[in-house]
Amino acid sequence: MGIVDEFDHVAPRLRGKKEGTFAYFTVRDRWPKIVTSLVDQLTRKRDALIEQHGEDASADIADILEKFSRLRYEIMTDKPLINFPESGPDGKMWHDWMEELKTAVMPNDVEELTYFKGPWLFVECYLYRFIYSAFLATKKLADMDYFEDSKRKNFLDHLDQVEEAVAFLMKITAKDSPAHEMFGIHQILKSSLWGNRADMSLTGGDDHTMKMSSIAASVQLKDYILIDDVNWLMVKVLAPLQANPQKLKNRRIDIVLDNAGVELCADLMMAEFFLARGFADKVVLHGKAIPWFVSDTTENDFNWTVDSLHLAGQQSAKLGEQIKKRVEKMEIIYKADLFWISPHPYCDMQEKAPELYEELTTSSLVIFKGDLNYRKLVGDRDWDLNTSFKKAVRGFDPCPILALRTLKAETIAGLTDDVLKVLLEKFDEDNSWMTSGEYAVCQLGGVPPIEE
Ligand SMILES: O=P(O)(O)OC[C@H]1O[C@](O)(CO)[C@@H](O)[C@@H]1O
């Protein structure tokens, strides 16, 4: 049903207008802060950019700064979203989606599509697309990744942690390793999960350094995982994949990436683990086509990270070489479908991006990394906390899906009564556990429950 849906009454979409919520705080404080930090960066880099690109860059910067100062004002005064120029591969689509949303979802009040009143997920994606359009309209800075510095710094700040985690991976994937075939799955998946703690959009691009390696976190932070379906995943998906009774040669696992930096390193480790331990013949990594949500992975980040792994140490250097070989042999493939930078929940994928959906049906497992992907899985709605995950994804099941997410938004589904009781005792009315990034889920969908 697209953006228009008949299920709206089931659970309302999150919106920034409700005071006291994280969405409200995000629109009021976090978005202006992210825009301000871009302004600071451009001002700081002005001379260097002019030296690199010539005098045209000066006018480009002035133009962007002017647009950003208007953007900040419009966010803070809750103005209606305006169409940006229909440029870029998805410019026309954005135009249509905004019209669709204004006329269909909010038919009685066109004015409602404002920064605070519009659906939080839609408006937040719009914000990052607006920022991109400001650069895209320039003569010299259209290709600039304005979030690059913080992404690279995040990687460089975690070199020791990356090397420690990769050393574990190398040990369990070595040809002569005595480790049982299933050994390491919990650590590798949870290392990828906890890598998601270190994202930079929560802090508006400021430092967010992980003190321990993601592998150490996988062991030490067990109690912070509110839903842990990894055993179920092993039984229902990974064991049959590894046994491969039909001797298939095209077993495929997909990872829908989230942040560059330390999280991407853990995701690359996970891809290598699946290939080296015989769970898949091919791993497809899905990244973003443009700079997105501050720290999301683009193709450039992927290539840079693989090329830079050697900076972390010897084991990481080996991993980097191994990944390059796998990319050449097309055992690891990087893709960036435009759907991942659209504002749609994943229940709309079949309608909005049928080819991508079809492609995912050929996969044995799609792993969705991070908070934004989770918000899109459950439609960014205010579900009752014990609503089943199956209900919240509203029919999205191209194949088994696994969400590896640390909680940074007030939406979640599938909590058991026992977990809810513990949370209630610890936090009472305080919702901070939903947004602090301290808690996490490893949640499986698209396969029958274990007891069936
Ligand atoms: O990198 P992640 O895990 O997708 O998180 C993105 C962050 O931005 C948000 O979308 C809110 O601005 C949160 O959901 C989350 O804090």
Side-chain angles (χ1 to χ4, degrees):
M1 302 248 3
I3 286 173
V4 189
D5 62 70
E6 86 273 36
F7 293 111
D8 257 6
H9 63 277
V10 174
R13 294 158 204 255
L14 301 182
R15 290 171 199 266
K17 66 182 177 187
K18 200 164 162 199
E19 283 192 37
T21 61
F22 184 68
Y24 174 78
F25 164 65
T26 294
V27 184
R28 195 196 60 185
D29 293 356
R30 290 179 58 235
W31 291 351
K33 182 175 172 198
I34 286 167
V35 178
T36 302
S37 68
L38 284 172
V39 169
D40 289 348
Q41 189 198 152
L42 276 177
T43 314
R44 219 176 34 245
K45 285 186 161 175
R46 192 172 177 279
D47 291 347
L49 287 169
I50 293 171
E51 201 174 310
Q52 191 185 346
H53 298 285
E55 263 312 307
D56 280 343
S58 170
D60 286 349
I61 293 169
D63 190 41
I64 297 172
L65 292 182
E66 196 269 319
K67 283 181 178 148
F68 284 178
S69 111
R70 197 155 19 102
L71 175 63
R72 263 177 58 94
Y73 167 77
E74 292 187 349
I75 295 173
M76 288 155 80
T77 52
D78 196 23
K79 293 281 181 294
L81 309 193
I82 43 154
N83 275 317
F84 36 76
E86 288 182 24
S87 50
D90 57 347
K92 163 87 177 77
M93 290 191 275
W94 266 99
H95 190 270
D96 294 347
W97 298 330
M98 287 190 39
E99 290 313 305
E100 191 183 1
L101 187 64
K102 277 194 242 173
T103 52
V105 176
M106 304 165 140
N108 303 323
D109 190 354
V110 172
E111 291 299 306
E112 286 291 287
L113 187 48
T114 65
Y115 286 91
F116 283 85
K117 294 184 204 116
W120 185 38
L121 176 62
F122 188 96
V123 184
E124 191 157 38
C125 292
Y126 167 91
L127 173 81
Y128 286 98
R129 186 56 179 79
F130 182 99
I131 291 171
Y132 175 69
S133 74
F135 282 86
L136 192 63
T138 63
K139 274 200 182 129
K140 299 289 181 185
L141 304 181
D143 294 331
M144 179 173 169
D145 182 348
Y146 29 91
F147 295 132
E148 188 175 278
D149 292 355
S150 58
K151 289 187 275 193
R152 296 203 170 165
K153 183 170 184 314
N154 181 279
F155 170 78
L156 296 168
D157 282 349
H158 290 95
L159 295 179
D160 291 347
Q161 291 93 325
V162 169
E163 180 67 1
E164 186 185 319
V166 175
F168 173 83
L169 170 78
M170 289 306 185
K171 218 187 229 167
I172 61 168
T173 52
K175 289 230 161 51
D176 54 357
S177 166
H180 180 271
E181 286 168 336
M182 286 285 170
F183 180 76
I185 288 178
H186 275 275
Q187 288 91 329
I188 293 294
L189 289 176
K190 286 166 187 170
S191 161
S192 160
L193 167 72
W194 290 117
N196 182 244
R197 237 190 200 185
D199 96 272
M200 288 147 267
S201 83
L202 260 191
T203 56
D206 295 348
D207 277 356
H208 199 165
T209 317
M210 299 235 310
K211 303 288 174 268
M212 58 181 119
S213 83
S214 51
I215 284 290
S218 75
V219 180
Q220 290 177 31
L221 300 178
K222 272 205 309 285
D223 294 346
Y224 290 87
I225 300 182
L226 302 176
I227 299 168
D228 187 351
D229 290 336
V230 172
N231 286 339
W232 182 20
L233 174 82
M234 277 160 69
V235 174
K236 291 282 182 184
V237 182
L238 293 179
L241 265 178
Q242 198 179 45
N244 194 13
Q246 292 165 283
K247 303 271 172 280
L248 300 173
K249 291 204 165 58
N250 56 353
R251 292 161 305 153
R252 161 178 174 160
I253 292 179
D254 290 59
I255 305 173
V256 184
L257 299 171
D258 190 7
N259 302 297
V262 68
E263 179 171 2
L264 177 60
C265 295
D267 296 341
L268 294 174
M269 284 170 48
M270 181 160 66
E272 175 59 24
F273 176 80
F274 287 139
L275 292 163
R277 297 303 294 260
F279 291 98
D281 303 298
K282 173 161 90 173
V283 173
V284 181
L285 304 175
H286 300 269
K288 303 297 192 297
I290 62 173
W292 200 243
F293 279 66
V294 184
S295 37
D296 282 16
T297 304
T298 62
E299 184 166 12
N300 212 14
D301 297 325
F302 169 71
N303 291 329
W304 182 87
T305 306
V306 175
D307 281 344
S308 306
L309 272 169
H310 67 95
L311 297 174
Q314 266 183 11
Q315 300 299 323
S316 306
K318 271 196 221 159
L319 176 65
E321 289 313 309
Q322 183 63 7
I323 289 176
K324 280 183 202 163
K325 282 190 205 137
R326 295 207 188 272
V327 170
E328 267 166 36
K329 289 194 271 179
M330 300 200 40
E331 291 169 351
I332 292 184
I333 296 173
Y334 178 93
K335 291 189 165 190
D337 196 283
L338 290 177
F339 184 75
W340 306 119
I341 51 161
S342 79
H344 305 301
Y346 293 152
C347 61
D348 290 347
M349 184 190 288
Q350 204 167 1
E351 183 204 321
K352 299 286 181 193
E355 284 172 17
L356 176 65
Y357 186 89
E358 274 311 303
E359 195 187 325
L360 296 187
T361 62
T362 67
S363 183
S364 302
L365 173 68
V366 183
I367 299 178
F368 288 92
K369 291 296 317 290
D371 196 76
L372 176 61
N373 274 319
Y374 192 89
R375 288 172 60 193
K376 290 182 165 188
L377 280 171
V378 300
D380 211 34
R381 286 170 187 271
D382 191 9
W383 296 104
D384 286 340
L385 304 178
N386 60 357
T387 307
S388 72
F389 189 49
K390 187 175 165 60
K391 180 172 177 191
V393 300
R394 294 167 66 216
F396 178 69
D397 63 347
C399 64
I401 57 174
L402 178 75
L404 295 180
R405 171 231 190 179
T406 62
L407 277 59
K408 303 170 205 158
E410 285 161 328
T411 181
I412 189 165
L415 293 180
T416 62
D417 291 344
D418 289 348
V419 169
L420 283 170
K421 199 164 153 244
V422 173
L423 288 169
L424 195 67
E425 269 162 23
K426 191 159 175 195
F427 292 96
D428 199 11
E429 301 278 279
D430 172 12
N431 265 355
S432 59
W433 59 274
M434 295 184 95
T435 56
S436 62
E438 259 187 294
Y439 287 87
V441 293
C442 304
Q443 212 165 355
L444 185 64
V447 294
I450 204 155
E451 53 282 354
E452 277 179 20

